[in-house]
Amino acid sequence: MLFRSFFHFLVGFMGSGYYTHAGGGTNFVCLTDSPIYGKVIGGFQGTGAIYGTEYETSGFPGLSNLAQHDAPCAVCYVRKRGSQIMIPGTNKCPSGWTREYKGYLMSSHYDHAHPSEYVCIDEGAEAVPGSHRNTNGALLYMVQGDCGHALTCGPYIHGHELTCVVCTK
């Protein structure tokens, strides 16, 4: 189960804009697995759109088994801890904070038309069962440090994939 230390109140599918589209929403959202519709016009209208999200992790140790699978998600609630922070570039929380999970920083490809937010994907990430096919949509790639372009080389190593941690207090 994703986010084993959390109490789940919404589980579903990760969604965002199509990787080649220049418009639409840029953030990743957690789409419910039980949508309820109001008034609708039948057929695709060519307006705003949202797509499922697919892992692009082939060749990355530990997460290559997720490649071409769809990404699930969970909106989580932690009792008695009201603040949450995602810290990229480390897998440790500051003193006094509780680590909920650690993993890898992911985002859309730097050269694709559709930007996205950075998200922390659990190192024990799962895939939507039965979703192994290359259908595209929104795509998640490992984020690497590109030092030398205002990111300091020394603490950061050019081309290394970044870890991340989600902490609560």
Side-chain angles (χ1 to χ4, degrees):
M1 188 69 149
L2 288 177
F3 309 109
R4 289 167 289 281
S5 62
F6 284 123
F7 168 76
H8 300 265
F9 64 92
L10 174 65
V11 175
F13 311 101
M14 187 178 280
S16 191
Y18 198 79
Y19 78 104
T20 62
H21 293 174
T26 58
N27 58 320
F28 288 104
V29 296
C30 192
L31 297 166
T32 179
D33 59 1
S34 303
I36 298 172
Y37 296 97
K39 296 178 183 178
V40 299
I41 300 172
F44 189 72
Q45 306 303 309
T47 57
I50 194 162
Y51 300 85
T53 302
E54 183 176 285
Y55 294 111
E56 296 291 335
T57 57
S58 60
F60 185 76
L63 296 181
S64 62
N65 62 318
L66 297 174
Q68 306 306 321
H69 284 277
D70 295 342
C73 65
V75 175
C76 306
Y77 170 74
V78 180
R79 295 180 191 169
K80 299 182 181 180
R81 292 193 294 270
S83 297
Q84 175 190 321
I85 187 169
M86 187 276 284
I87 307 171
T90 186
N91 58 16
K92 296 181 180 176
C93 293
S95 178
W97 288 74
T98 300
R99 182 173 71 196
E100 299 301 336
Y101 68 95
K102 62 181 179 162
Y104 292 95
L105 193 64
M106 297 183 83
S107 187
S108 60
H109 192 280
Y110 78 93
D111 201 25
H112 284 171
H114 199 277
S116 72
E117 65 184 323
Y118 294 102
V119 293
C120 186
I121 301 298
D122 192 319
E123 68 183 357
E126 299 174 6
V128 173
S131 67
H132 188 250
R133 58 195 182 284
N134 187 7
T135 57
N136 293 323
L139 303 176
L140 283 172
Y141 288 87
M142 306 301 296
V143 172
Q144 303 171 33
D146 187 350
C147 69
H149 293 96
L151 182 65
T152 306
C153 294
Y156 287 91
I157 300 172
H158 187 76
H160 280 209
E161 289 77 12
L162 297 177
T163 58
C164 56
V165 64
V166 173
C167 309
T168 58
K169 184 172 184 176

